[in-house]
Amino acid sequence: MTNGNEMQPLLEVKDLQALLPTHRGLVKAVDRVSLRLQRGKTLGIVGESGCGKSMLARAIMGLLPTGSIVSSQSIVTFDGRNLVGMKKAQLRQIIGREIAMVFQDPMTSLNPVMKVGRQIAEVISYHLKEGKRTARKRAVALLDLVGIPMADQRADQYPHQLSGGLRQRVAIAIALACEPKLLIADEPTTALDVTVQATILDLLASLQQEKRMAMILITHDFGVVAGRTDETAVMVAGQIVEYAATGDLFRQMRMPYTRALMAAIPRLANRPHTKLRTINGQPPDMVDLPLGCRFASRCWKAQPLCRGKEPALKRINGRGHKLACWYPLESGKNA
Ligand SMILES: Nc1ncnc2c1ncn2[C@@H]1O[C@H](COP(=O)(O)OP(=O)(O)O)[C@@H](O)[C@H]1O
Ligand code: SF4
Ligand SMILES: [Mg+2]
């Protein structure tokens, strides 16, 4: 069922703000985030660990931890409907069916004591009201689609009988079971062996094209979005600070933080023996955020203005490149 106009973005997030309670106070995990995603397109969300990527995904789906507060101006329009404030029962019809999710650890979405084929079949029966036999047939077809050999036999195995890579393929099969319009993949390969990572990412990309799904690919590793996403949003401490077509971002990133993240891309040749490179210094305290730019304490270009006033996210060219920085890197020079 499509409620929205085909010309409208499938997903439009405006000023989304989510506050999470902790014993130290409220964490502004998602702070006035806006983004758009067209049908069939892929958006990468990149940022350091703890910057709010997972909470952004959960805020979009209305699945935040208990006690979280979503501010009243937040709007999440999905296929013509605002998901913010939607009744739980109505949301349940959308999540898992129209919007599906793949997590870093496949075991979070798999039931350890149920055969994998049955787990997929149950999703199909629940959402699509199919009978047992049809659901089983579709489950096996899905296992085959995600590249699991001998799908018929594998369907009768339990998650612990499968390797990490196969388990993630099963999780992808569950996510695809109802042909969602949007797939959110949250660090889908971070927990996997390095040799399996690229195959899973390529699988997601080809399925996404084949099914014309929109996809949000969340990662801390710029290497993951390269060549696999149409647009990329870069996050620091709950906010988007740079947003551009992925090719433009790789050619001419303008935000110092983006460059620092890019420099931290783990090189395949280095892994797995070298430690993951991270940006020097600590990200800001999410309970007590600084007044100005949230990267200022670690930025080599920081000036007094950066510490005194928050730079707003502004469009800098006709191609939709957006940036929140007082002293951006020079265009084309990356200096
Ligand atoms: N259940 C929770 N309750 C309160 N705060 C949380 C919870 N989960 C995460 N946070 C905080 O929210 C912020 C964003 O976390 P998260 O979205 O998980 O980051 P990322 O996915 O980018 O690593 C972090 O500061 C984290 O400490
Ligand atoms: S606003 Fe200032 S501190 Fe922040 S990234 Fe830009 S130059 Fe660096
Ligand atoms: Mg996360």
Side-chain angles (χ1 to χ4, degrees):
M1 184 179 64
T2 299
N3 294 342
N5 180 328
E6 282 285 318
M7 297 306 288
Q8 294 295 318
L10 176 68
L11 177 71
E12 185 160 24
V13 174
K14 272 193 189 154
D15 282 332
L16 180 57
Q17 191 174 50
L19 307 172
L20 274 55
T22 69
H23 65 279
R24 293 179 51 234
L26 287 175
V27 165
K28 267 191 193 168
V30 181
D31 195 7
R32 291 160 290 154
V33 166
S34 298
L35 52 87
R36 286 163 147 245
L37 182 57
Q38 300 291 343
R39 287 160 212 279
K41 297 288 183 190
T42 304
L43 171 70
I45 296 181
V46 187
E48 296 167 280
S49 175
C51 73
K53 305 181 296 297
S54 295
M55 290 305 140
L56 170 58
R58 292 179 66 168
I60 288 173
M61 296 186 295
L63 296 176
L64 287 167
T66 321
S68 304
I69 302 160
V70 174
S71 71
S72 57
Q73 87 277 4
S74 307
I75 301 174
V76 176
T77 310
F78 173 74
D79 207 14
R81 295 152 291 178
N82 186 7
L83 304 186
V84 176
M86 189 178 260
K87 289 207 175 73
K88 280 232 153 57
Q90 211 182 341
L91 206 53
R92 262 201 298 274
Q93 297 303 311
I94 296 175
I95 307 304
R97 179 174 181 171
E98 297 183 49
I99 305 179
M101 187 137 181
V102 176
F103 298 92
Q104 173 177 334
D105 177 3
M107 288 313 270
T108 50
S109 44
L110 296 182
N111 180 343
V113 295
M114 195 192 283
K115 290 174 180 169
V116 295
R118 208 175 129 212
Q119 297 191 44
I120 305 171
E122 287 208 339
V123 174
I124 295 168
S125 302
Y126 174 79
H127 281 298
L128 306 181
K129 316 283 177 259
E130 293 286 3
K132 253 186 162 175
R133 283 183 68 171
T134 313
R136 159 84 191 190
K137 263 178 99 173
R138 289 190 55 171
V140 173
L142 277 159
L143 288 173
D144 189 52
L145 179 76
V146 298
I148 296 188
M150 299 182 296
D152 204 26
Q153 281 110 297
R154 289 289 192 183
D156 290 324
Q157 291 190 316
Y158 293 92
H160 71 87
Q161 294 175 287
L162 306 177
S163 66
L166 286 185
R167 280 203 288 262
Q168 193 57 298
R169 285 174 196 261
V170 173
I172 294 169
I174 292 177
L176 295 178
C178 303
E179 308 223 328
K181 294 173 186 154
L182 170 63
L183 180 71
I184 302 182
D186 187 359
E187 311 243 14
T189 57
T190 306
L192 296 176
D193 190 282
V194 67
T195 52
V196 185
Q197 291 189 7
T199 7
I200 294 285
L201 289 168
D202 291 344
L203 169 71
L204 275 173
S206 69
L207 290 170
Q208 186 246 335
Q209 283 202 337
E210 193 180 316
K211 304 272 174 199
R212 209 174 159 256
M213 277 183 312
M215 182 159 83
I216 295 180
L217 183 57
I218 296 175
T219 176
H220 64 272
D221 177 356
F222 251 116
V224 163
V225 296
R228 288 194 182 90
T229 59
D230 298 291
E231 291 188 308
T232 298
V234 181
M235 273 184 90
V236 180
Q239 292 188 321
I240 292 179
V241 290
E242 188 159 16
Y243 194 151
T246 305
D248 288 354
L249 196 70
F250 273 82
R251 269 189 301 277
Q252 31 182 264
M253 70 211 95
R254 303 292 309 279
M255 170 81 186
Y257 173 76
T258 309
R259 190 165 93 174
L261 262 188
M262 201 85 81
I265 295 181
R267 308 272 163 222
L268 202 59
N270 291 343
R271 284 188 280 178
H273 305 294
T274 47
K275 238 181 109 194
L276 196 72
R277 283 183 62 192
T278 49
I279 301 174
N280 287 336
Q282 286 294 313
D285 180 353
M286 298 281 273
V287 177
D288 184 19
L289 287 163
L291 195 62
C293 169
R294 295 176 187 184
F295 186 53
S297 67
R298 298 182 289 163
C299 181
W300 65 97
K301 287 184 70 106
Q303 304 283 325
L305 174 63
C306 304
R307 296 193 182 88
K309 198 168 175 214
E310 190 178 274
L313 187 69
K314 286 194 180 133
R315 190 181 281 260
I316 56 163
N317 64 19
R319 295 170 54 81
H321 194 147
K322 290 184 195 158
L323 186 69
C325 178
W326 293 120
Y327 305 103
L329 303 170
E330 274 182 58
S331 176
K333 285 192 181 167
N334 287 335

